Amino acid sequence: MKRIAVYPGSFDPVTYGHVDIVRRATALFDHVIIAVTTNQGKPSTFPIDERLTMLRQALRGLPRVTVEAFEGLLVHYLQARKARIVIRGLRAISDFEYEFQMALMNRHMAPQVETVFLMPDERYTYLSSSLVKEIARLGGVVAAFVPRSVSPYLTRLKNP
Ligand code: PNS
C-alpha cells in the first residue's frame, strides 16, 4: 500500500518554510499531495489559480509531489484521495493551539486520520506568508523568504 500524505494549507503564497516541509514529507511518504484551499478564517490575497501556479513552480523537480485545489472539509477530501495522513508544519509554540484544535477536530470527524507535525529548518521558524506579504507591500526585499518564482507576485502588492 502506498503511503499517501496530504499537506493542506492556504499557501498564500508558498514560502521557503513550506518547501522545507514538503521536502521532509517526501522523505517519509511515497506520495505527497499539496492540497490548496481557502482558509475560512482569513481572506486570501492571491486567487487559487495563482497560488497553485506558484506552488507548482516552486516544487518543480521534487519527485512524488502533486499540487491540487480542494473545496469543503479536509476530511472529505482525504476520503476522496484515500489518504489518512495530514502533514502540518509546526514553527513555534504559538502555532500549537490552533494546530492541536484542528488535528483533534479532524480526528473527531474521521478517527482514521492522523496528523503528522514536521518542524521546518530553524532558519524558517519566524517565517510566515502574512509577514512576507507585509514586507512586500511596504517595499522590503523578500528574496530570502520565498522561491524566486514567487517574488514577482509579491512585487505586485507593493503600495504605490
Ligand atoms: O495554511 P492555513 O491557512 O493555516 O491552513 C488551514 C487549512 C486550510 C488547513 C484549514 O483551514 C482547513 O483544513 N480548511 C479546510 C476546511 C476544513 O476542513 N475545516 C475544518 C478544520 S478542523
Side-chain angles (χ1 to χ4, degrees), residues 8-12 18 35-42 70-76 86 88 98-99 101-106 109:
S10 39
F11 303 100
D12 190 36
H18 297 125
V36 187
T37 193
T38 297
N39 183 331
Q40 301 288 315
K42 50 178 181 189
F70 79 100
E71 279 179 14
L73 280 179
L74 176 62
V75 289
H76 291 162
V86 174
R88 291 288 287 173
Y98 169 61
E99 294 298 334
Q101 235 180 344
M102 271 202 307
L104 290 183
M105 192 61 94
N106 284 330
M109 292 187 283

Side-chain angles (χ1 to χ4, degrees), residues 94-114:
S94 50
D95 282 340
F96 184 76
E97 199 169 332
Y98 169 61
E99 294 298 334
F100 188 68
Q101 235 180 344
M102 271 202 307
L104 290 183
M105 192 61 94
N106 284 330
R107 177 181 286 170
H108 179 88
M109 292 187 283
Q112 75 281 6
V113 168
E114 286 297 348

Side-chain angles (χ1 to χ4, degrees), residues 12-13 43-46 129-142 151 153-160:
D12 190 36
S44 307
T45 304
F46 296 102
S129 298
S130 320
L131 271 185
V132 168
K133 284 184 285 193
E134 181 174 326
I135 293 167
R137 281 194 189 100
L138 299 173
V141 179
V142 293
S151 291
Y153 291 86
L154 285 168
T155 308
R156 274 181 6 212
L157 300 180
K158 193 175 164 190
N159 290 337

Side-chain angles (χ1 to χ4, degrees), residues 6-26 32-37 39 42 46 51 54-56 58-59 62 65 67 87-91 95 98-99 118-121 123-133 144-147 150 154:
V6 170
Y7 180 21
S10 39
F11 303 100
D12 190 36
V14 56
T15 67
Y16 278 139
H18 297 125
V19 176
D20 183 90
I21 295 293
V22 176
R23 281 183 197 286
R24 289 172 198 281
T26 57
V32 178
I33 305 175
I34 320 301
V36 187
T37 193
N39 183 331
K42 50 178 181 189
F46 296 102
R51 287 183 274 145
M54 286 187 265
L55 269 162
R56 288 189 178 122
L59 302 175
L62 269 190
V65 171
V67 177
I87 302 286
R88 291 288 287 173
L90 260 193
R91 290 165 300 190
D95 282 340
Y98 169 61
E99 294 298 334
L118 298 177
M119 279 178 293
D121 188 286
R123 280 177 295 167
Y124 307 129
T125 48
Y126 56 86
L127 190 50
S128 74
S129 298
S130 320
L131 271 185
V132 168
K133 284 184 285 193
F145 311 130
V146 293
V150 175
L154 285 168

